[in-house]
Amino acid sequence: MGCCSGRCTLIFICTFQLMVALERQVFDFLGYQWAPILANFFHIIVVILGLFGTIQYRPRYIVVYTVWAALWVAWNVFIICFYLDVGGLSKDSDMLTFNISAHHSWWSEHGPGCVRKEMPQPGMRTADTQSYISVMGCLMEYQYIEVVHSSTQILIALLGFVYACYVVSAITEEEDSFDFIGGFDPFPLYHVNEKPSHLLLKPMYLRDKQQVYVNEAVSRRELTQQVLMDTKRLL
């Protein structure tokens, strides 16, 4: 396949997808979102596997990437429903942190234009005193930022899924055609044709042997005739 083929396009998609996944992993770490962190970790591994399979012409690795791309789309659809409070889900729950902590998305306090203010509780101030955090002036709510992230992931995953299917089909077709002409045949063509050539040579050998016998018989008859003629002359 040439440089402008689907294989090169899939390499570009996997590389871009890897960069986007690393960017998302950083912000999920900052927000202590443990479920997305685990999902991103597996996603990065599978994308690297798909990239390796594409470069090295390994269709099995690309198939694994294709299956994961479908699962990744489903996961990001779940994230979108979670942040938009669809289907009984709530963005205020601690589901993404496995109920370990009450942390939410990092963008909830550090979004574009957000001003973060800490308001201490009234009363005695100690080192352990908790304070309320007020966020104001955000140009875009954090849930919509997360939805944009997930939508981008879905778009890239769908493109990767389509091109991965195409590349697997192309590689498999090339392997079949190469195998058809004997490229992967453990027995070379001359070995396969050895027996037919032997069978073809065998009648020729018998024909030549019979011709030798005929020539010898003719020679003997001519010799006998020559002897008889010489005998008559002498008499």
Side-chain angles (χ1 to χ4, degrees):
M1 287 179 285
C3 185
C4 296
S5 63
R7 174 174 166 269
C8 293
T9 305
L10 182 59
I11 291 175
F12 172 77
I13 291 175
C14 289
T15 304
F16 182 69
Q17 193 173 23
L18 187 61
M19 296 172 58
V20 175
L22 290 174
E23 177 266 339
R24 188 177 187 181
Q25 183 76 311
V26 170
F27 291 110
D28 285 336
F29 261 116
L30 293 175
Y32 301 98
Q33 304 295 296
W34 302 115
I37 287 173
L38 291 177
N40 293 332
F41 176 74
F42 288 112
H43 178 61
I44 292 171
I45 292 178
V46 176
V47 170
I48 293 175
L49 188 66
L51 183 62
F52 174 79
T54 306
I55 296 174
Q56 296 295 325
Y57 293 92
R58 303 292 180 87
R60 293 183 180 179
Y61 295 163
I62 305 177
V63 169
V64 174
Y65 168 80
T66 304
V67 175
W68 175 258
L71 296 176
W72 187 245
V73 169
W75 166 256
N76 282 277
V77 170
F78 166 77
I79 294 296
I80 292 175
C81 294
F82 177 82
Y83 281 106
L84 294 181
D85 300 333
V86 177
L89 300 173
S90 175
K91 61 180 177 295
D92 296 326
S93 66
D94 299 330
M95 182 182 300
L96 298 183
T97 60
F98 297 131
N99 296 322
I100 297 177
S101 62
H103 290 90
H104 297 285
S105 173
W106 183 82
W107 298 103
S108 61
E109 299 178 4
H110 304 85
C114 293
V115 179
R116 183 172 179 270
K117 294 182 179 180
E118 294 186 1
M119 302 174 61
Q121 292 181 353
M124 184 181 296
R125 297 184 178 181
T126 61
D128 298 334
T129 302
Q130 297 181 354
S131 59
Y132 294 103
I133 298 176
S134 175
V135 180
M136 299 178 298
C138 295
L139 299 178
M140 188 175 185
E141 296 294 333
Y142 75 94
Q143 63 266 26
Y144 300 118
I145 298 177
E146 293 289 351
V147 168
V148 170
H149 271 86
S150 296
S151 301
T152 305
Q153 293 285 342
I154 291 175
L155 178 61
I156 300 174
L158 290 176
L159 289 175
F161 179 85
V162 172
Y163 276 96
C165 293
Y166 170 76
V167 170
V168 169
S169 176
I171 294 177
T172 305
E173 185 176 351
E174 287 185 0
E175 289 181 351
D176 292 340
S177 61
F178 192 66
D179 191 15
F180 177 75
I181 63 175
F184 295 109
D185 192 357
F187 299 99
L189 291 176
Y190 67 85
H191 179 81
V192 176
N193 294 331
E194 181 179 356
K195 187 174 181 181
S197 63
H198 178 69
L199 293 177
L200 291 174
L201 290 174
K202 189 173 181 180
M204 294 177 63
Y205 171 75
L206 293 177
R207 194 181 310 116
D208 293 340
K209 193 172 182 180
Q210 290 175 358
Q211 186 66 33
V212 170
Y213 290 154
V214 171
N215 292 337
E216 289 181 355
V218 171
S219 299
R220 288 176 183 176
R221 187 175 60 183
E222 291 179 353
L223 181 60
T224 303
Q225 291 177 355
Q226 186 67 32
V227 171
L228 290 175
M229 291 176 63
D230 293 339
T231 304
K232 289 180 179 180
R233 289 176 183 177
L234 292 175
L235 293 177

